[in-house]
Amino acid sequence: MTISQTAENVCKVSTLATSKQETVNSIEKKVYVIGSDFAIKSQTSLATVTSYRVGGPAEWYAAPRNLAALEASVKYAKEHDLAVTILGAGSNLLVSDRGISGLVIATRHLRHSHFDPQTGQLTVAAGESIPSLAWQAADLGWEGLEWAVGIPGTVGGAVVMNAGAHSSCIAQMLVSAEVLSPDGTLKILTPDELGYAYRTSLLQGSDRIVTQATFQLKPGADRALVIAATKQHKQHRLTTQPYNFPSCGSVFRNPKPHSAGWLIEQTGLKGYQIGGAQVAQLHANFIVNRGGAKANDIFGLIRHIQQRVQDRWSILLEPEVKMIGDFQPV
Ligand SMILES: Cc1cc2nc3c(=O)[nH]c(=O)nc-3n(C[C@H](O)[C@H](O)[C@H](O)COP(=O)(O)OP(=O)(O)OC[C@H]3O[C@@H](n4cnc5c(N)ncnc54)[C@H](O)[C@@H]3O)c2cc1C
Ligand SMILES: NC(=O)C1=CN([C@@H]2O[C@H](COP(=O)(O)OP(=O)(O)OC[C@H]3O[C@@H](n4cnc5c(N)ncnc54)[C@H](OP(=O)(O)O)[C@@H]3O)[C@@H](O)[C@H]2O)C=CC1
Ligand SMILES: C=C(O[C@H]1[C@H](O)[C@@H](CO)O[C@H](OP(=O)(O)OP(=O)(O)OC[C@H]2O[C@@H](n3ccc(=O)[nH]c3=O)[C@H](O)[C@@H]2O)[C@@H]1NC(C)=O)C(=O)O
């Protein structure tokens, strides 16, 4: 696949930009068609593709549907000197109200999955939905992903974040992850090479993109029992976590042996609100968007919680949520 910016393959929304500066300062929407089924668009809303439903636009946005299109996006960014930000399902992201400069590559349309009954391995593209895979595994009677239901992220986001719940996590079942580097090379990495720990991996802050992953599951279990366990986990979440308003899940990592939710509740912050952002009544480590929140309301509330908990307990809570873009200091 080649990238070209000739007049013929510019899907005309406005005139072809000839320099980065020209496009940065423009509010016109531009679409560059790259190949037959793939485009790079300018000024694309990120509020609609992140679970908080807040934040400004991506300067440039691409949502490739296959590896070749992903590689072309990375190449485009390199050639045009654009910083790359990867977006999975956006369920652990706070995008600033000013948006993100450079190219945002959304991976959620990278889709394929294969449950291999011989090996018990599940090989999946980065954009596949974690809860959807958990339900599929349960339906097949495969054990291993019951805990993952209700985590509304993609495979790529889960591998990077080391998503976890109910004493299980991605690192325990990952066999390998395929990653794409900015120079275009693909590499298979093992969990050891990914440096996994609680809610973190060496992929955080790196410029490598997870393209697919293989997980070890256990086929041949009692299907009814696996489905029952999956449903139980989902039910537990619905009763202990606020699913009725937009959020990013837990805002802070637990400062073990303490739990962030307990510390925040004991600091008297449940229900505390800045603009449309509120410390959830049901779970104090969730900040929910009660409607009309700005990213900066959520950012301000994060800083307020950190300050109050630090004052009361001398513990600095470390955000689990990834805050991207520029935020106004509070
Ligand atoms: C209601 C709710 C409940 C939640 N419950 C849990 C829970 O129980 N446990 C838990 O661990 N998390 C939970 N989360 C948080 C979130 O769902 C997880 O962190 C999830 O793994 C994020 O996946 P994502 O695809 O949305 O990633 P995003 O939020 O899109 O991205 C997260 C980070 O990963 C990077 N990234 C994403 N995809 C790739 C890729 N393919 N290659 C390289 N980098 C990539 C991004 O750049 C970003 O830095 C919850 C969130 C919500 C909204
Ligand atoms: N608060 C927030 O910010 C956010 C909350 N959420 C919530 O997070 C939760 C997880 O989100 P979501 O990603 O939709 O995950 P879900 O677990 O709701 O569904 C994921 C997939 O699994 C399927 N599925 C759901 N229940 C069953 C079942 N009992 N048997 C078989 N298949 C099933 C769904 O199919 P089908 O489509 O047919 O139902 C869907 O394809 C949901 O409750 C959602 O409302 C999601 C995003 C943001
Ligand atoms: C939601 C996330 O992951 C969740 C994961 O779903 C659940 C279930 O396994 O366990 C973790 O929550 P958690 O530690 O808050 O679990 P909970 O069982 O709800 O709470 C822990 C303790 O804090 C107390 N608690 C919690 C919330 C609150 O408002 N007040 C309070 O006192 C609870 O009573 C309990 O004694 C993960 N969070 C972190 C930061 O590790 C996420 O990472 O986004």
Side-chain angles (χ1 to χ4, degrees):
M1 183 176 298
T2 55
I3 300 172
S4 124
Q5 291 190 349
T6 59
E8 306 87 82
N9 69 2
V10 172
C11 169
K12 182 93 173 164
V13 175
S14 66
T15 50
L16 183 65
T18 52
S19 76
K20 187 181 169 203
Q21 191 57 42
E22 202 177 310
T23 59
V24 169
N25 293 335
S26 168
I27 53 162
E28 285 178 293
K29 280 219 167 207
K30 297 182 176 68
V31 180
Y32 292 78
V33 173
I34 298 173
S36 57
D37 62 345
F38 172 58
I40 290 180
K41 302 176 184 174
S42 72
Q43 298 301 325
T44 301
S45 167
L46 294 174
T48 53
V49 288
T50 51
S51 61
Y52 258 135
R53 303 274 176 237
V54 301
E59 182 188 358
W60 294 102
Y61 182 84
R65 290 183 177 273
N66 51 49
L67 183 59
L70 174 68
E71 289 168 336
S73 309
V74 170
K75 192 169 167 220
Y76 182 93
K78 200 170 181 186
E79 286 171 358
H80 293 80
D81 197 21
L82 298 172
V84 171
T85 301
I86 304 299
L87 173 76
S91 64
N92 205 30
L93 286 181
L94 178 61
V95 173
S96 95
D97 295 315
R98 294 174 187 172
I100 307 296
S101 57
L103 176 64
V104 172
I105 302 178
T107 55
R108 67 204 305 169
H109 297 303
L110 297 174
R111 296 288 177 96
H112 64 72
S113 62
H114 176 61
F115 289 79
D116 184 343
Q118 304 302 321
T119 60
Q121 292 187 352
L122 165 61
T123 297
V124 269
E128 290 285 341
S129 146
I130 286 288
S132 177
L133 291 168
W135 286 113
Q136 286 174 50
D139 193 44
L140 288 169
W142 287 35
E143 276 178 1
L145 278 177
E146 299 92 315
W147 59 274
V149 73
I151 301 181
T154 61
V155 164
V159 167
V160 170
M161 295 304 301
N162 190 17
H166 311 289
S167 305
S168 296
C169 64
I170 285 292
Q172 292 166 347
M173 53 201 50
L174 188 78
V175 175
S176 62
E178 183 186 76
V179 297
L180 177 68
S181 291
D183 65 7
T185 54
L186 281 169
K187 205 171 170 189
I188 308 284
L189 299 177
T190 62
D192 279 350
E193 291 171 303
L194 292 171
Y196 275 124
Y198 166 62
R199 291 291 191 278
T200 194
S201 76
L202 292 176
L203 291 170
Q204 293 186 24
S206 108
D207 51 10
R208 287 175 294 180
I209 303 170
V210 177
T211 56
Q212 69 171 24
T214 298
F215 302 111
Q216 185 66 55
L217 303 181
K218 288 187 198 152
D222 183 327
R223 178 173 174 272
L225 288 181
V226 184
I227 290 175
T230 307
K231 283 187 174 164
Q232 199 183 346
H233 285 311
K234 183 74 188 278
Q235 191 51 35
H236 179 73
R237 277 176 177 278
L238 294 175
T239 52
T240 57
Q241 299 177 356
Y243 275 83
N244 52 341
F245 289 105
S247 80
C248 69
S250 296
V251 174
F252 301 103
R253 295 186 173 105
N254 283 330
K256 291 176 177 179
H258 307 287
S259 65
W262 187 89
L263 291 168
I264 297 166
E265 177 169 3
Q266 295 308 313
T267 310
L269 287 170
K270 263 194 176 173
Y272 187 86
Q273 196 157 343
I274 295 181
Q278 186 188 50
V279 178
Q281 293 286 359
L282 187 59
H283 198 300
N285 196 20
F286 279 58
I287 292 177
V288 287
N289 175 358
R290 294 295 307 246
K294 306 299 283 178
N296 228 70
D297 297 338
I298 297 167
F299 179 75
L301 193 47
I302 289 172
R303 291 286 179 257
H304 181 80
I305 293 168
Q306 283 178 313
Q307 188 62 57
R308 292 282 305 277
V309 169
Q310 170 92 55
D311 291 348
R312 170 84 194 269
W313 304 97
S314 300
I315 293 172
L316 178 61
L317 292 177
E318 187 187 355
E320 176 181 315
V321 61
K322 300 291 176 199
M323 296 177 269
I324 52 175
D326 295 329
F327 291 90
Q328 288 157 23
V330 185

